[in-house]
Amino acid sequence: YYPKAGHLLSALPLALGIFAVRLIFERCIAGPCASILQIQTESSRRAQPNAVLEKVFTSITKSPDSRHLEGLSKQLDWDVRKVQRWFRQRRNQDKPSTRTKFCESMWRFTFYLYIFTYGIHFLWQSPWMWDTRQCWYNYPYQVLSSGLYHYYVTELSFYWALMFSQFTDIRRKDFLIMFIHHLATISLISFSYVNNMLRVGSLVMCVHDTSDFLLEAAKLANYAKYQRLCDFLFVVFGIIFFGTRLIIFPFWILNTTLFESWDIIGPYPSWWLFNFLLLVLQVLHILWSYLIARIAFKAVMRGKVSKDDRSDIETSSDEDTDTTSKERLKTGARSHSPRGENGTNGHFGPKSWSQNHSDW
């Protein structure tokens, strides 16, 4: 049969089903795995109870400026740095625990590994994987097989689920970038489905799925404190990410959508929109590659993987500029646990990851 816009409506209830499966998976499978690996529940040291500071934190500001800090210091007869430390600990107290981050990453790892395996198995038998010009022969009268239909609808449902759960999941500094990414991905999948560009669309999805499960695997290793495994997986992820997003995607996918399709079927109105969305993805690939390269550079300079720039959980190093180096070292020693945790929410590092995610 041929694709119809109405077929995409089945993705919405399936997205709810995927979200329900995720909740069950995290509770019944990921949670016990976290317990076996002794993943901590608390994300950071809790701030001591204080009614005055709690009222300021909940009703006025979570990050008071120097003027407010001095006023609170005099009111409580506390040192300014002690007030700073209280607000920092109170902010971190609301952050998700390592156990929560582990369960989220384990779910994504499982799905990404499954969908990548399915995609490779399906495309391996498809002629357009070996000759991209096959994506455009007899277009748009290409029959949609049941395997390709299920591949498409499952991917679309998963990204709809991610779109909604992004507002309840661990919030990171690249929230807006990931939101744009999810919008572009959903638009691309839906648009290519309605326009029967499923062959090239399946290639795009497979290229993006290639490195995602490796990123989540590295995050899992980091949460479990297997640092060498984490570093190794990150290196493998980085190599595959650069290879797929900066080489295969532009020189294989964009080449066929921009040039081969032009030669075989010629441009038409939806052709321009489809390629525009693909170019938006490529810009995001370049941005993420830059962030990964920065982390890799820090890893080389420091001898191990550094904290992710997207981290949104503060550590004791987040002090005012007038703090002395000696005070920073003392505070840092107090804030880090013996196992090297610093409370970051996500990426690769000797301490904690910031991920996530996604389609990273």
Side-chain angles (χ1 to χ4, degrees):
Y1 60 99
Y2 296 93
K4 297 178 181 179
H7 294 161
L8 295 179
L9 295 178
S10 61
L12 295 179
L14 184 56
L16 295 177
I18 289 177
F19 185 72
V21 171
R22 170 188 172 176
L23 296 179
I24 297 173
F25 178 90
E26 291 184 354
R27 184 178 184 86
C28 300
I29 299 178
C33 289
S35 299
I36 293 173
L37 294 172
Q38 298 182 339
I39 306 296
Q40 66 173 4
T41 300
E42 293 297 324
S43 59
S44 60
R45 186 169 50 187
R46 303 182 67 85
Q48 68 182 82
N50 187 290
V52 175
L53 296 181
E54 186 68 30
K55 183 178 180 180
V56 173
F57 182 86
T58 56
S59 61
I60 301 178
T61 177
K62 296 182 179 181
S63 301
D65 56 24
S66 58
R67 181 174 60 85
H68 283 96
L69 287 172
E70 291 177 0
L72 292 170
S73 173
K74 294 178 181 179
Q75 181 179 352
L76 298 172
D77 194 25
W78 282 14
D79 183 80
V80 173
R81 282 179 48 75
K82 185 176 181 180
V83 178
Q84 284 180 314
R85 188 179 305 112
W86 188 94
F87 276 94
R88 181 175 60 253
Q89 292 175 352
R90 183 63 182 83
R91 288 191 295 268
N92 286 346
Q93 184 176 309
D94 291 339
K95 302 298 181 179
S97 66
T98 303
R99 183 189 181 90
T100 300
K101 294 178 284 186
F102 178 89
C103 292
E104 177 185 321
S105 290
M106 189 170 181
W107 159 250
R108 296 194 183 199
F109 166 78
T110 303
F111 180 85
Y112 288 141
L113 181 60
Y114 159 76
I115 201 66
F116 171 71
T117 304
Y118 179 90
I120 283 292
H121 174 74
F122 172 78
L123 289 173
W124 200 266
Q125 308 169 53
S126 305
W128 59 87
M129 181 174 182
W130 312 106
D131 178 13
T132 54
R133 298 178 69 87
Q134 294 283 341
C135 293
W136 312 106
Y137 291 148
N138 199 37
Y139 178 84
Y141 307 106
Q142 298 170 342
V143 177
L144 172 61
S145 66
S146 60
L148 187 54
Y149 169 77
H150 291 118
Y151 186 29
Y152 246 77
V153 172
T154 303
E155 285 270 17
L156 179 60
S157 301
F158 178 74
Y159 281 105
W160 270 120
L162 280 185
M163 171 71 77
F164 297 133
S165 65
Q166 187 180 11
F167 295 93
T168 58
D169 286 342
I170 301 168
R171 193 178 182 90
R172 299 186 174 92
K173 290 183 178 179
D174 68 343
F175 175 87
L176 181 59
I177 296 176
M178 292 303 300
F179 186 77
I180 295 174
H181 173 270
H182 295 335
L183 277 179
T185 302
I186 292 172
S187 300
L188 269 171
I189 294 176
S190 302
F191 184 77
S192 62
Y193 184 91
V194 172
N195 285 273
N196 207 14
M197 296 179 176
L198 292 98
R199 293 185 177 183
V200 70
S202 63
L203 297 179
V204 173
M205 292 190 299
C206 187
V207 166
H208 282 78
D209 292 335
T210 303
S211 59
D212 288 342
F213 71 93
L214 289 170
L215 174 60
E216 300 302 331
K219 291 161 68 175
L220 290 174
N222 182 77
Y223 295 142
K225 305 305 174 187
Y226 295 116
Q227 190 57 46
R228 291 186 179 180
L229 177 60
C230 167
D231 293 343
F232 170 76
L233 290 172
F234 172 66
V235 170
V236 176
F237 158 76
I239 293 173
I240 294 180
F241 185 92
F242 290 135
T244 55
R245 308 297 177 92
L246 299 183
I247 298 176
I248 294 179
F249 186 80
F251 293 104
W252 189 44
I253 303 296
L254 291 181
N255 176 67
T256 190
T257 60
L258 289 171
F259 304 111
E260 292 180 349
S261 63
W262 184 293
D263 293 337
I264 297 174
I265 62 175
Y268 49 96
S270 57
W271 179 92
W272 295 97
L273 179 58
F274 181 67
N275 280 285
F276 170 75
L277 291 173
L278 289 178
L279 291 172
V280 169
L281 275 184
Q282 183 58 36
V283 171
L284 294 176
H285 294 165
I286 295 172
L287 176 60
W288 283 317
S289 297
Y290 167 73
L291 295 175
I292 295 173
R294 284 187 59 181
I295 296 169
F297 176 76
K298 292 178 182 179
V300 172
M301 298 301 294
R302 299 179 183 181
K304 51 187 174 181
V305 181
S306 174
K307 169 187 167 186
D308 184 3
D309 295 316
R310 302 186 311 154
S311 173
D312 58 5
I313 291 185
E314 304 154 273
T315 64
S316 58
S317 62
D318 298 328
E319 307 290 350
D320 293 341
T321 53
D322 59 349
T323 305
T324 64
S325 300
K326 184 176 180 180
E327 289 173 329
R328 288 176 184 270
L329 291 173
K330 289 181 178 179
T331 308
R334 288 193 300 268
S335 66
H336 295 306
S337 69
R339 298 177 70 184
E341 300 163 15
N342 70 345
T344 55
N345 75 332
H347 263 307
F348 22 81
K351 298 171 179 135
S352 234
W353 291 63
S354 105
Q355 163 134 202
N356 153 136
H357 83 238
S358 146
D359 189 47
W360 203 166

